[in-house]
Amino acid sequence: MAAQDRAFCLLPYEVSFSLVCAITIVFSSRALTWMLHHKLNKNIALYVESDVDFCSFQLVCKQTYWAVNSDQAVWRERFLDLYNQLPAGSDFKAKYHVRRKALRAGANFTGGYTKGEGKCLRVLRELILESCASKDEHKRVSSLNFNRILNFCYSTNILGDILHAGNLKPDPLLATVQLMLTPLCLDIDLNFPTWGFPDSQQAAYLDSKVPEGQIFFGRNHQGVNMRWLLHISNFFKYHMTRKEEYSLFEDYKSLELSERPKMWTGKLEDQALGLKRDWKGSYAFLDAADVTHLRQSQFISTDVFIDNMDGLQNMEMRPITEVSAGVRVLFGLFDRSANALKDVERSVAGEVDRSALYYDAAGYDHYPFEACIRVNPLQAQHGIPGWQRFSMVKYFHNPAASGPLVDDLWGYEGCVLPGGEVILGRWFYLDPSIPASGTGGVDFDAHGPYSGPFIFWGAS
């Protein structure tokens, strides 16, 4: 074969090989370019702050769209810039859209029953449940979710008037969310206004026998009266954050930031049953005649009732593992008076409640006092776990004997809010003459036991 023919035969192979190499280089170059563009677009997307600009960026071309939506990476980073971490397997894009849309739109809260209010409340409940706050070196609590909640509170009226519904019963979820934000309401620096104090004052001195004044209800007393607790929160907010009242403001303002009410740390679902050691608090009282007058009023009258307060008290709690006979006797008297538990006979018989935790406590209220405390777990309320029933018998020592003064016993019944940072409830006089049947000797002037509101908060 001639050299010319051999060259002709080799030409197709050489051309094919060269063409393949060229095509491979071209496609590799394009793939590399696409990958570089994809990575670059992802990085650019992470620096776009405005949601409007972020949406516009996605619509520039297919490459920017796929850079944002081909996986969860960009949405995850964008989400975690604003919120706490979600559980594994969550759809960050969907969650981001729902939260931003609801919180940006806001709502005019008038009872919690409108569609807009419902959307916002469900998002706020999510933020509460998924918050994972921590304390800094100054013991200040911080959380991305709490920041979003606070911004929402500033831009809406959800905390501007927590009882603005008037005679309309608020949606239970609205009342629950508002109650969870009690530490924000009590923050002097945030300066949320206080409204509806006359209604809250009347509620604070209600007899526990009337349905509106019962703290717990339902089967095994597992339900929590959110509206009544909101009144107690509003009552103390009025006295603690308003300088004009000359009641608790100066004492409260003088506290270190770490000693004031604060939001919880960690996640609510991880909170264990129990109480911390150091607490501060206060209680209010009226003369017996004023309590009777207030309870007789079907509507708020023009009379002004001046609450008496003895400043702020300190209390230290210590867990106990063995419940003494004396403590069992005191809680038997407590249960006969408060009817706090459905199975009254168990406590009357002096048996220990195995589902509860018990504490000894000591503090100062004009004179040194001691107390015994019982804490029972409650079921989740409207999707939020961590509620606890608080029962306490406060007593002063008899200087002439080794036991307590039997005519100076005081019961405290209330609810520990989830997170274990705030306790709200009612104090009442414990009459030692109450028989085991739980009847007789419990009324004064036929209008129920002498009682009033109290608040405790964690001071450490």
Side-chain angles (χ1 to χ4, degrees):
M1 184 181 292
Q4 190 176 11
D5 295 333
R6 288 197 303 271
F8 181 80
C9 291
L10 291 172
L11 184 60
Y13 171 78
E14 293 173 350
V15 171
S16 299
F17 179 76
S18 300
L19 183 60
V20 169
C21 291
I23 292 172
T24 301
I25 292 172
V26 169
F27 275 95
S28 297
S29 177
R30 288 182 177 178
L32 181 60
T33 302
W34 186 88
M35 291 176 62
L36 289 174
H37 286 174
H38 187 72
K39 183 67 174 177
L40 179 61
N41 286 329
K42 275 182 175 288
N43 288 334
I44 293 173
L46 295 176
Y47 286 93
V48 179
E49 296 183 0
S50 164
D51 284 343
V52 174
D53 292 340
F54 187 73
C55 291
S56 299
F57 177 77
Q58 295 180 68
L59 300 176
V60 169
C61 63
K62 289 183 178 180
Q63 288 188 349
T64 57
Y65 179 85
W66 284 110
V68 172
N69 296 291
S70 60
D71 55 34
Q72 290 276 314
V74 173
W75 286 107
R76 181 180 183 278
E77 292 298 321
R78 192 167 184 82
F79 183 94
L80 295 179
D81 282 341
L82 297 175
Y83 307 102
N84 290 125
Q85 180 65 273
L86 288 175
S90 298
D91 188 336
F92 288 92
K93 178 181 177 180
K95 288 287 187 182
Y96 186 90
H97 276 290
V98 170
R99 292 185 181 184
R100 294 292 282 174
K101 185 177 180 180
L103 297 181
R104 186 185 293 111
N108 178 33
F109 289 91
T110 58
Y113 295 105
T114 66
K115 186 176 180 181
E117 290 175 271
K119 288 182 178 179
C120 291
L121 289 173
R122 288 189 291 272
V123 168
L124 290 174
R125 177 171 57 189
E126 277 192 1
L127 295 179
I128 288 171
L129 291 173
E130 293 166 5
S131 66
C132 191
S134 59
K135 289 183 181 179
D136 60 19
E137 63 274 14
H138 303 292
K139 295 187 177 181
R140 291 175 298 199
V141 177
S142 60
S143 161
L144 290 172
N145 283 13
F146 289 166
N147 293 341
R148 303 285 78 75
I149 291 173
L150 182 57
N151 290 342
F152 181 82
C153 293
Y154 272 134
S155 63
T156 66
N157 66 333
I158 189 168
L159 291 186
D161 181 2
I162 61 171
L163 295 160
H164 49 69
N167 293 327
L168 174 66
K169 275 186 131 181
D171 179 82
L173 181 55
L174 171 60
T176 303
V177 168
Q178 290 173 325
L179 197 58
M180 291 295 299
L181 304 182
T182 292
L184 299 183
C185 291
L186 297 178
D187 192 321
I188 295 176
D189 298 326
L190 297 182
N191 198 30
F192 287 111
T194 307
W195 301 98
F197 175 75
D199 291 322
S200 294
Q201 185 184 44
Q202 188 177 45
Y205 294 99
L206 275 177
D207 176 14
S208 60
K209 291 182 178 180
V210 301
E212 296 82 0
Q214 293 175 359
I215 306 176
F216 306 105
F217 63 90
R219 184 177 181 182
N220 296 325
H221 298 275
Q222 287 289 306
V224 176
N225 186 342
M226 300 295 175
R227 184 164 175 79
W228 188 84
L229 291 177
L230 270 179
H231 276 298
I232 303 306
S233 174
N234 196 52
F235 176 92
F236 282 104
K237 176 189 174 188
Y238 183 84
H239 284 289
M240 293 164 62
T241 65
R242 286 173 51 87
K243 184 178 181 179
E244 300 83 354
E245 302 314 310
Y246 297 99
S247 48
L248 294 175
F249 177 82
E250 293 299 335
D251 288 343
Y252 184 57
K253 186 180 179 181
S254 67
L255 296 176
E256 298 289 336
L257 288 177
S258 60
E259 296 177 316
R260 297 179 188 176
K262 60 186 72 68
M263 301 289 272
W264 61 92
T265 57
K267 297 191 72 170
L268 291 181
E269 64 181 11
D270 299 329
Q271 300 283 342
L273 174 69
L275 301 171
K276 55 176 56 181
R277 186 186 68 179
D278 298 315
W279 295 81
K280 290 185 180 295
S282 186
Y283 61 89
F285 61 96
L286 294 172
D287 293 338
D290 286 340
V291 174
T292 300
H293 187 187
L294 196 60
R295 289 176 178 175
Q296 286 176 322
S297 302
Q298 294 183 354
F299 305 97
I300 297 298
S301 67
T302 56
D303 295 331
V304 176
F305 300 95
I306 305 299
D307 299 292
N308 299 295
M309 296 188 171
D310 291 328
L312 302 181
Q313 288 85 47
N314 299 320
M315 185 166 61
E316 181 177 317
M317 301 182 186
R318 302 172 299 272
I320 56 176
T321 55
E322 293 189 11
V323 182
S324 66
V327 170
R328 292 198 295 270
V329 170
L330 289 175
F331 275 119
L333 175 60
F334 177 94
D335 292 332
R336 293 197 297 273
S337 299
N339 195 22
L341 299 176
K342 185 177 181 180
D343 187 8
V344 176
E345 294 302 322
R346 179 177 58 185
S347 294
V348 171
E351 295 182 12
V352 176
D353 186 348
R354 300 301 177 185
S355 68
L357 294 180
Y358 288 83
Y359 294 80
D360 280 333
Y364 190 86
D365 179 12
H366 293 298
Y367 300 96
F369 70 84
E370 294 188 11
C372 51
I373 295 169
R374 181 181 63 201
V375 180
N376 295 84
L378 294 169
Q379 65 188 15
Q381 307 291 318
H382 311 291
I384 298 178
W387 306 80
Q388 302 174 70
R389 180 166 51 233
F390 176 86
S391 308
M392 182 175 83
V393 178
K394 173 181 172 182
Y395 57 90
F396 299 86
H397 276 287
N398 186 347
S402 58
L405 288 166
V406 295
D407 60 348
D408 203 4
L409 300 174
W410 303 91
Y412 283 64
E413 182 185 21
C415 183
V416 184
L417 304 189
E421 293 289 344
V422 178
I423 308 173
L424 300 168
R426 170 191 290 113
W427 61 262
F428 55 92
Y429 176 64
L430 277 179
D431 187 349
S433 65
I434 299 175
S437 64
T439 60
V442 296
D443 290 349
F444 79 97
D445 202 18
H447 290 285
Y450 183 49
S451 63
F454 76 85
I455 182 174
F456 291 124
W457 64 85
S460 59

